[in-house]
Amino acid sequence: MIHNGYWNYINGTLLNTWNVAWVILSEDGVEFYKKKSDQSPKGMIPLKGATLTSPCQDYSKRALVFKISTAKKQDHFFQASHVEEREMWVKDIKRAIQCLQGGKKFARKSTRRSIRLPETVNLSQLYIQMKDQEEGVKEQRVEQDNKAFNYCFTGVNVVDWLISKDKARNRPEALMLGTGLLNEGFLQPAGDTSKEGAHSAEKSVLLDQTDAIYYFADSGFFCEGYSSDEDVLLKEEFRGNIVKQGCLLKQGHRIKNWKVRKFILRDDPAYLHYYDPTKEDDPLGSIHLRTSVVSAVDYLPDAKKYDVEGNLFEIITSDETHYYFQAATAEERKEWIKAIQTVSKSGK
């Protein structure tokens, strides 16, 4: 087994409904299960002779989608919960496909830089550097067309930063890097100008213009002044920076069943929002984390009848409301607990 985790999945050749599945990546295929505790997979996608497309634009209203096309021309679509998750899976699936083609055993290889620009650049690492609070691209408030865009920056800001940090020798090279970041989903277009550029047929989709507005994919971006655009988040509780996101099992309040939900943890204000991962709707609910208590738990009285065991944790809010969750692994539970503890102490 190379990877496992909950994913939003759709088989494009059989149905048109997104479903959450427990997915396992092995050396020769991708197995998917209805739930983690199932003993046999619901299906298997063979990787021999397959191709992978990322990012995939077949579902224009969904972000972070990639597609696996099998040798028999069957398309399978997966939607990640965040950029880093997609990049990690895409990298290893591509590696597994290459190993199968060459008759080799899967083994992760470290990324090495060469002297040629396209090969020296690690977009994931570049994105991390761009987001650095001290040395990165400065997020700002930009007013345009009676709207106020918060936690964003312009195309000119991106190009200037890439050149100033010696990531590019000139503006054309910087535009190429910026376009790569945009195509991979690290940067998102915010205003009409940048969105038109992102959807144009031109080679450079990132625009070196002061009126082209962009934001980091996991930032606290929101826009004031209108509410029709799908990117707009007007509520105060959405204004914090995204600290962590991913899928967890959550126990319902009234009906004590367990369902997979996508969670987004934000700081200042400290909120944990949860969504139906099969839909692109507003959150199903939110948990205000200020002064809350989070801890690992070993057992829940009614958990076993729902086949829920292991990697459980609990959040108790300031008003004594109890929430129960299950992570995919012990390490993932540890990461969530640590992140929530930090946010609950520092966020308002």
Side-chain angles (χ1 to χ4, degrees), residues 299-318:
Y299 174 76
L300 298 180
D302 57 351
K304 283 197 172 182
K305 63 183 179 181
Y306 295 106
D307 295 323
V308 176
E309 292 183 80
N311 305 320
L312 300 166
F313 66 96
E314 174 187 24
I315 295 175
I316 306 175
T317 64
S318 58

Side-chain angles (χ1 to χ4, degrees), residues 223-293:
C223 178
E224 298 171 296
Y226 70 120
S227 59
S228 59
D229 193 285
E230 63 183 2
D231 291 330
V232 176
L233 298 174
L234 297 176
K235 296 181 180 178
E236 171 69 23
E237 63 191 59
F238 289 97
R239 297 189 180 189
N241 290 320
I242 294 177
V243 175
K244 186 173 178 60
Q245 52 188 319
C247 288
L248 297 165
L249 272 175
K250 176 184 175 294
Q251 187 186 55
H253 271 333
R254 287 186 285 268
I255 302 175
K256 301 297 183 181
N257 58 349
W258 292 76
K259 292 185 177 180
V260 177
R261 297 301 183 212
K262 175 183 175 180
F263 289 86
I264 297 181
L265 176 63
R266 291 182 170 88
D267 65 359
D268 198 24
Y271 274 91
L272 182 65
H273 295 93
Y274 52 96
Y275 303 74
D276 182 342
T278 67
K279 300 177 181 178
E280 295 292 302
D281 295 334
D282 292 333
L284 299 173
S286 64
I287 304 172
H288 191 194
L289 297 173
R290 178 64 175 166
T291 69
S292 65
V293 176

Side-chain angles (χ1 to χ4, degrees), residues 101-148:
Q101 291 174 343
K104 300 178 181 178
K105 186 176 177 63
F106 179 94
R108 291 189 180 92
K109 290 186 176 180
S110 60
T111 301
R112 298 191 176 185
R113 296 173 181 263
S114 69
I115 60 173
R116 289 180 296 174
L117 180 63
E119 297 178 8
T120 60
V121 176
N122 182 324
L123 290 178
S124 297
Q125 186 63 36
L126 181 59
Y127 177 64
I128 292 172
Q129 294 172 356
M130 290 181 71
K131 287 188 61 187
D132 185 87
Q133 294 290 324
E134 299 297 328
E135 300 293 331
V137 176
K138 302 303 180 185
E139 294 176 302
Q140 55 191 290
R141 176 185 172 95
V142 178
E143 295 186 4
Q144 185 183 99
D145 299 329
N146 297 319
K147 304 168 190 175

Side-chain angles (χ1 to χ4, degrees), residues 39-136:
Q39 297 300 310
S40 57
K42 188 177 179 181
M44 192 268 197
I45 305 169
L47 292 179
K48 188 173 183 179
T51 58
L52 188 145
T53 303
S54 177
C56 174
Q57 305 298 331
D58 292 41
Y59 291 87
S60 58
K61 292 186 177 181
R62 287 181 176 267
L64 305 177
V65 174
F66 68 85
K67 176 175 68 175
I68 299 175
S69 301
T70 68
K72 293 184 178 181
K73 308 302 181 184
Q74 292 180 324
D75 293 334
H76 302 266
F77 300 88
F78 295 86
Q79 183 181 30
S81 60
H82 54 281
V83 172
E84 291 82 1
E85 181 183 47
R86 184 190 66 179
E87 294 307 301
M88 179 176 63
W89 278 72
V90 165
K91 179 181 178 181
D92 279 344
I93 291 173
K94 284 183 176 179
R95 178 65 183 153
I97 292 172
Q98 291 171 356
C99 288
L100 287 169
Q101 291 174 343
K104 300 178 181 178
K105 186 176 177 63
F106 179 94
R108 291 189 180 92
K109 290 186 176 180
S110 60
T111 301
R112 298 191 176 185
R113 296 173 181 263
S114 69
I115 60 173
R116 289 180 296 174
L117 180 63
E119 297 178 8
T120 60
V121 176
N122 182 324
L123 290 178
S124 297
Q125 186 63 36
L126 181 59
Y127 177 64
I128 292 172
Q129 294 172 356
M130 290 181 71
K131 287 188 61 187
D132 185 87
Q133 294 290 324
E134 299 297 328
E135 300 293 331

Side-chain angles (χ1 to χ4, degrees), residues 8-51:
N8 211 12
Y9 165 77
I10 185 172
N11 183 333
T13 60
L14 298 178
L15 43 86
N16 196 34
T17 303
W18 288 87
N19 291 286
V20 176
W22 177 257
V23 180
I24 295 178
L25 171 62
S26 61
E27 293 181 358
D28 61 352
V30 177
E31 297 179 344
F32 51 97
Y33 300 73
K34 187 175 181 180
K35 54 186 178 179
K36 182 183 176 182
S37 58
D38 288 351
Q39 297 300 310
S40 57
K42 188 177 179 181
M44 192 268 197
I45 305 169
L47 292 179
K48 188 173 183 179
T51 58

